[in-house]
Amino acid sequence: MRPSLTFQIKPDLPAPLAPLAEIAANLWFSWHAEAVDLLQRVDHNLWREVCHNPVALLNQTSQERLEALSQDSGFLAQLDRVAELMNAYLDATKCTFLNGRAPDGLKIAYFSAEYGLADCLSLYSGGLGVLSGDHLKSASDLNLPLVAVGLAYGQGYFNQYLDAGGWQQEEYHPNDFYNLPMALMTNDDGSELRISVDIEGRPLQARVWRVSVGRVPLYLMDSNLEDNPQDLRSITFQLYGGDRQMRIRQEILLGIGGVRLLDALGIKPNVYHMNEGHSAFAGLERIRQIRQERGLNFNEAREVVRASNCFTTHTPVPAGNDYFDPELVRRHFAGYVADLGISLPVLMAYGRIDPRNDSEQFCMTVLALRLSGFANGVSRLHGRVSRQMWQGVWPHFPEVDLPIGHVTNGVHIPSWISNDMAYLYYRHLGPGWHENPDSEAVWKTVEDVPDSELWRVRERRRSQMVTFIRNTLVAQLSRRGAGTEELRRASETLNPEALTIVFARRFATYKRAVLIAQDADRLAEILNDPKRPVQIIFAGKAHPKDEEGKEFIRRVVALTRDKRFMDKLVFIEDYDINTARYLVQGADVWLNTPRRPMEACGTSGMKAVANGGLHLSILDGWWDEGFKPGLGWAIGRGDEPSDKYPLDEMEAKALYRLLENEVVPLFYRRDAYDLPRDWIGYMKSSLRNLCPAFNSHRMVEDYAENGYLPACERYQNLVKDDFDGARQLGSWAQRIMENWSQVQVTEAQSSAPRSMTWGQEFPVSASVRLGGLQPGDVAVDAYYGRLGTDGEFAERMTHPLEPVGESDGVWRFEGKVLAQSTGLLGVAVRVVPYHPLAGNKYALGLAAWS
């Protein structure tokens, strides 16, 4: 029986408690300790039961309790203080770090398939979602004009539990959007705001929910409507659920629907940031809209979109990129391409590394790269790996020159540090640390924190983590029907004073969770030293279809039942934001053992570092650029997989040596006051050097400086004067494509002697056949640098050559180059299409070389 009418009933808050509803409706509360403390005071037990959901807390608190709180002067004083803090935060309008440099009307749209924002919002699976959440929080703190778009998943990602054999099982719990910090968007007449996309000729409708993330609005689309066919209702059922057909439909809704959503809200972004390839169809919808509204052709509209799109790729694992069978794409886009002004084969070419290979699958990452003027990996090493992976998209350029840079990820430190650590920072670093977590000057004052105070905080957080682990183990064992003795043992497991190592992350096989257990006997010796005890906590989920990852979990669970490791090694089920917070706040050592270079970045270790933990990791991801002796430890030498070396065995032995000879002795080396002074020195060095660099404020500022502001400037140049620049650029691009086959460097020469001295300037000239093009259509560069022993360029620089004349259809270009390195110097001449409105020389992917 289904109801004829539905109503949303809100709690009857007494007037003095009215600000509570506003605080509960904005995720600002989740990174402000006093706001969390206030909500806990409403009902501490209920707060835990509702998974820290402030809306459910108020909805389920009895009217008697609410009346009592309205008469509690202490509670009301704290409520007024928190409300005043939040209102002052929300009322601020200045984006300080830009110092007035932002172009007028700057508006950034951020697209992501998942968001990890708060304990109560199950809209994420792991690191990508948490990174998206931290991005929004820092954008809010920095007052960057950003709006975010995603999907409202009815069940989100799975909850994990283990069976008696240690095998991961999955269960899904529904999200009750009406009892979450979400608001249903409506039209002026009170009806639901809806958008529509086409799915194989059928309309799919989606309603829209708003989540307030401080000053940043996040809009989420929900297809679970009775007006939709049953198979389409389920599109927003589960994050990454279903088959490839379900995935392409989710991504159509995210990308195409997301652009239509912003249009329906009257939001006109001039910069779009696609966080991973899931939302790449947004580029197509932007082209369609511009064509429809402005009468531009495909090439002209494409240039506007490419100029203002930013794209971040997050995975160096080929399987982590979305590929779709050509027939699947054809079925879903056969009717859409007409509105783009192109044919289906042309659309398919935009998603293929080799546009002419009709059998190649359609890749969302390739589509995003081809439609973006700014692209980046998420660490320095990942930028290099990404250029290797996607070199085929720009076959005419050396790998090192490809237009994929890097913006290293960071974490939103206020969301992840403990209250104890936050209080310590306020006292010794000053209140400015919260507003300026990327300031080196702020973190330099960590040296002034008394060792004893810092160590007391670390010990207190380790103890609280152990208590949390014990309670969690008892709960998960009780669900499995464990006996009294097993439950008693779980309630006493781990030692709150022992050196504690944490390995918590997704159980993908390349992350090698079992590397530390490769030699179980040696590990047992390390953990069971009676004078220097060590313990390890594991947590993490494997993808539901990743049987190897599940096998890794089973192997870890089997170790926990080995008598040698009982009470020394535990596995915690259902790793989520709440569990992660306890672990990063309490870990002494954060362990990371990926197979280099497969970890794109890895941000969990950054969170542990901000809490005073030390990082022990393979030189991969962010640690490849963050590690220095005295800040933590590097496992191995940065080797990459090779048939020549048994890498797992080598790095496992290196890990054991580090633990035996450096990590464990350093932790247990105490002075007369029982303080590990050298360990504390490592902690302070780590905080001082790593926190200002690896935080999301710095990350968002990097995106703004290198991605958003240039993209906005390019966009404005193209759209002014009724899109005159776009029309020029589109015509130019068409002319280039039609004539490029005629472009040829017929000669490159120099009159300089073959032996010169450093700092000497020498001439370079080139003869270039341009066919139907003119010198103003191209950039001709001397491409030069020191050569390695293999005869290839070891260093690369470019210097423009200028046209000096034409004869028989061949143009002569000349310039002078400065010898800036010693050794063997090589020079080549490169011709690329160039237009001042295009933004870079790689947009069309074309080059001619001497």
Side-chain angles (χ1 to χ4, degrees):
M1 182 69 179
R2 299 182 66 84
S4 302
L5 301 172
T6 59
F7 306 92
Q8 184 176 8
I9 309 301
K10 297 181 179 180
D12 182 16
L13 285 178
L17 301 184
L20 263 181
E22 298 176 13
I23 294 168
N26 195 312
L27 296 187
W28 174 90
F29 81 84
S30 66
W31 71 93
H32 289 82
E34 191 168 7
V36 174
D37 182 62
L38 173 76
L39 293 165
Q40 287 178 325
R41 285 184 65 179
V42 173
D43 187 324
H44 185 79
N45 291 329
L46 181 58
W47 175 248
R48 188 170 59 250
E49 290 173 14
V50 298
C51 298
H52 308 158
N53 177 354
V55 173
L57 175 76
L58 297 185
N59 287 346
Q60 297 181 36
T61 299
S62 68
Q63 199 64 41
E64 291 79 7
R65 175 59 178 163
L66 294 175
E67 294 292 345
L69 288 172
S70 72
Q71 306 297 319
D72 185 332
S73 59
F75 182 85
L76 293 177
Q78 186 178 9
L79 173 59
D80 289 344
R81 191 163 57 250
V82 171
E84 185 178 346
L85 285 172
M86 187 179 81
N87 290 332
Y89 177 93
L90 296 178
D91 290 343
T93 58
K94 189 175 182 181
C95 186
T96 306
F97 85 93
L98 289 178
N99 291 322
R101 292 178 296 117
D104 291 339
L106 173 66
K107 191 72 173 180
I108 304 137
Y110 183 90
F111 282 64
S112 184
E114 53 176 301
Y115 292 92
L117 288 158
D119 303 350
C120 58
L121 281 176
S122 179
L123 303 171
Y124 66 97
S125 68
L128 173 66
V130 172
L131 184 279
S132 299
D134 283 4
H135 193 112
L136 300 196
K137 292 174 183 177
S138 278
S140 173
D141 287 346
L142 293 167
N143 225 331
L144 196 66
L146 183 144
V147 57
V149 175
L151 300 179
Y153 300 103
Q155 291 191 341
Y157 205 51
F158 70 90
N159 294 92
Q160 177 199 57
Y161 70 95
L162 304 180
D163 64 17
W167 285 99
Q168 172 182 291
Q169 305 296 316
E170 298 92 29
E171 59 183 3
Y172 292 85
H173 297 153
N175 284 318
D176 181 0
F177 297 148
Y178 290 99
N179 279 293
L180 286 166
M182 303 170 66
L184 186 64
M185 299 297 294
T186 58
N187 297 304
D188 292 340
D189 61 2
S191 60
E192 289 183 355
L193 174 68
R194 295 189 177 184
I195 59 97
S196 178
V197 297
D198 182 89
I199 303 292
E200 291 193 76
R202 294 181 295 164
L204 165 71
Q205 293 190 61
R207 59 186 166 189
V208 182
W209 300 87
R210 173 180 167 137
V211 177
S212 295
V213 187
R215 304 173 181 123
V216 169
L218 165 62
Y219 296 102
L220 303 169
M221 291 168 287
D222 171 16
S223 69
N224 187 20
L225 300 171
E226 291 188 359
D227 294 346
N228 288 324
Q230 186 60 44
D231 64 318
L232 299 188
R233 289 183 66 172
S234 62
I235 284 177
T236 58
F237 195 45
Q238 293 175 354
L239 172 60
Y240 304 141
D243 55 14
R244 303 310 298 169
Q245 176 172 275
M246 178 63 73
R247 178 66 67 87
I248 197 172
R249 291 175 172 182
Q250 283 186 336
E251 296 182 359
I252 287 171
L253 179 58
L254 175 62
I256 296 176
V259 174
R260 293 180 183 179
L261 160 64
L262 295 175
D263 188 58
L265 292 169
I267 298 172
K268 302 294 185 182
N270 41 36
V271 177
Y272 283 72
H273 184 173
M274 299 177 292
N275 191 44
E276 197 49 275
H278 308 120
S279 56
F281 291 140
L284 300 180
E285 177 61 13
R286 292 188 64 206
I287 292 172
R288 188 198 67 80
Q289 281 193 1
I290 292 171
R291 279 176 41 76
Q292 182 182 62
E293 295 170 4
R294 297 292 178 170
L296 275 62
N297 63 36
F298 177 85
N299 288 339
E300 294 163 350
R302 178 199 61 209
E303 295 307 321
V304 176
V305 169
R306 180 154 54 196
S308 52
N309 268 359
C310 300
F311 169 59
T312 299
T313 175
H314 281 266
T315 174
V317 183
N321 297 274
D322 278 338
Y323 289 87
F324 295 116
D325 184 79
E327 175 59 21
L328 193 61
V329 178
R330 187 199 64 76
R331 283 177 17 220
H332 286 84
F333 284 88
Y336 186 81
V337 290
D339 290 337
L340 292 175
I342 57 175
S343 65
L344 192 62
V346 172
L347 172 62
M348 296 299 299
Y350 272 87
R352 288 169 169 157
I353 291 178
D354 180 359
R356 294 171 296 276
N357 183 356
D358 292 341
S359 63
E360 183 181 332
Q361 289 195 314
F362 186 93
C363 178
M364 296 294 281
T365 303
V366 174
L367 176 64
L369 288 170
R370 288 217 163 98
L371 293 181
S372 298
F374 174 86
N376 70 283
V378 291
S379 68
R380 182 178 61 196
L381 178 59
H382 181 232
R384 190 201 82 190
V385 172
S386 297
R387 290 189 290 274
Q388 291 175 347
M389 287 181 67
W390 306 111
Q391 184 174 7
V393 178
W394 296 273
H396 303 294
F397 293 91
E399 173 194 306
V400 71
D401 290 342
L402 300 191
I404 304 176
H406 75 276
V407 175
T408 302
N409 283 344
V411 298
H412 187 251
I413 291 178
S415 291
W416 295 103
I417 62 167
S418 67
N419 291 348
D420 296 319
M421 192 63 78
Y423 180 64
L424 194 71
Y425 291 161
Y426 274 113
R427 286 183 55 214
H428 295 284
L429 277 62
W433 84 265
H434 200 279
E435 287 80 24
N436 299 293
D438 56 334
S439 168
E440 293 184 9
V442 166
W443 289 101
K444 194 173 291 185
T445 57
V446 162
E447 293 294 344
D448 299 331
V449 178
D451 287 359
S452 58
E453 287 191 42
L454 185 58
W455 187 244
R456 276 200 299 271
V457 168
R458 291 296 312 133
E459 295 214 291
R460 187 156 57 245
R461 294 312 307 181
R462 187 191 319 112
S463 180
Q464 291 182 9
M465 176 183 67
V466 168
T467 299
F468 171 80
I469 296 298
R470 289 171 174 175
N471 292 337
T472 303
L473 282 172
V474 168
Q476 66 188 44
L477 287 171
S478 296
R479 288 194 295 270
R480 288 185 228 152
T484 304
E485 179 58 27
E486 191 175 2
L487 293 176
R488 182 200 63 77
R489 190 176 187 105
S491 70
E492 298 173 354
T493 194
L494 301 181
N495 177 354
E497 297 180 356
L499 169 62
T500 304
I501 301 170
V502 174
F503 181 99
R505 55 204 345 103
R506 188 161 53 92
F507 263 65
T509 51
Y510 75 85
K511 293 179 183 283
R512 298 188 297 181
V514 295
L515 185 71
I516 194 171
Q518 188 166 90
D519 185 339
D521 292 335
R522 192 168 178 182
L523 179 62
E525 290 180 11
I526 294 171
L527 268 56
N528 289 298
D529 185 331
K531 295 182 179 179
R532 303 189 304 189
V534 180
Q535 55 199 12
I536 306 176
I537 300 168
F538 285 91
K541 298 177 179 179
H543 189 279
K545 296 179 181 179
D546 183 1
E547 295 302 323
E548 287 186 271
K550 291 181 180 182
E551 167 61 17
F552 275 23
I553 291 175
R554 188 203 62 78
R555 288 169 61 183
V556 169
V557 172
L559 283 174
T560 69
R561 297 167 178 172
D562 187 314
K563 290 184 178 180
R564 295 172 295 176
F565 300 113
M566 282 187 176
D567 303 329
K568 302 280 187 179
L569 193 153
V570 299
F571 181 90
I572 302 301
E573 294 177 7
D574 205 26
Y575 185 46
D576 61 8
I577 285 178
N578 186 48
T579 300
R581 194 178 293 112
Y582 276 98
L583 297 181
V584 299
Q585 292 173 3
D588 295 304
V589 173
W590 198 265
L591 178 64
N592 190 22
T593 53
R595 185 173 286 113
R596 178 185 164 112
M598 300 181 76
E599 181 84 287
C601 184
T603 57
S604 55
M606 302 175 190
K607 299 161 192 164
V609 163
N611 282 283
L614 297 180
H615 205 231
L616 170 61
S617 174
I618 300 293
L619 285 168
D620 198 8
W622 77 279
W623 197 232
D624 181 65
E625 59 197 89
F627 169 72
K628 292 178 183 175
L631 305 183
W633 298 274
I635 304 167
R637 305 168 302 176
D639 294 314
E640 297 183 6
S642 168
D643 294 336
K644 297 180 181 178
Y645 304 106
L647 193 58
D648 287 4
E649 181 181 343
M650 289 172 56
E651 291 182 337
K653 289 179 178 178
L655 173 56
Y656 295 138
R657 285 195 299 271
L658 279 173
L659 291 173
E660 293 163 342
N661 301 328
E662 296 189 35
V663 180
V664 177
L666 192 73
F667 183 85
Y668 284 106
R669 190 183 305 137
R670 308 294 172 95
D671 66 6
Y673 300 95
D674 197 32
L675 292 174
R677 299 282 183 181
D678 294 335
W679 184 276
I680 295 169
Y682 267 56
M683 289 168 56
K684 288 184 173 181
S685 294
S686 179
L687 290 167
R688 185 180 70 248
N689 288 281
L690 300 178
C691 286
F694 298 100
N695 69 80
S696 53
H697 275 44
R698 186 274 312 152
M699 175 188 73
V700 170
E701 289 170 1
D702 283 355
Y703 275 115
E705 296 283 359
N706 302 314
Y708 301 157
L709 295 188
C712 183
E713 184 178 354
R714 291 192 298 267
Y715 176 86
Q716 292 183 338
N717 286 335
L718 291 175
V719 303
K720 66 184 179 182
D721 299 326
D722 192 28
F723 287 72
D724 181 62
R727 298 178 201 276
Q728 291 182 35
L729 192 57
S731 298
W732 168 83
Q734 184 66 32
R735 190 168 68 253
I736 291 293
M737 299 303 289
E738 291 172 351
N739 290 278
W740 192 257
S741 61
Q742 305 171 45
V743 175
Q744 180 185 9
V745 181
T746 60
E747 184 181 40
Q749 61 183 18
S750 175
S751 60
R754 289 296 174 258
S755 178
M756 293 179 285
T757 56
W758 180 91
Q760 187 173 341
E761 197 174 54
F762 63 95
V764 174
S765 64
S767 298
V768 182
R769 190 178 301 279
L770 292 178
L773 302 179
Q774 294 298 312
D777 293 322
V778 299
V780 180
D781 296 317
Y783 186 96
Y784 66 103
R786 181 175 58 84
L787 299 181
T789 56
D790 58 359
E792 298 286 335
F793 284 102
E795 297 173 351
R796 295 160 176 83
M797 290 168 280
T798 60
H799 187 80
L801 304 182
E802 301 297 335
V804 295
E806 181 259 349
S807 177
D808 296 329
V810 176
W811 283 87
R812 185 171 179 81
F813 291 79
E814 294 181 352
K816 290 187 176 181
V817 170
L818 190 66
Q820 300 181 55
S821 60
T822 57
L824 195 60
L825 185 75
V827 180
V829 172
R830 182 188 69 185
V831 184
V832 293
Y834 180 70
H835 192 289
L837 293 176
N840 67 63
K841 299 176 180 180
Y842 309 94
L844 300 183
L846 300 172
W849 293 82
S850 58

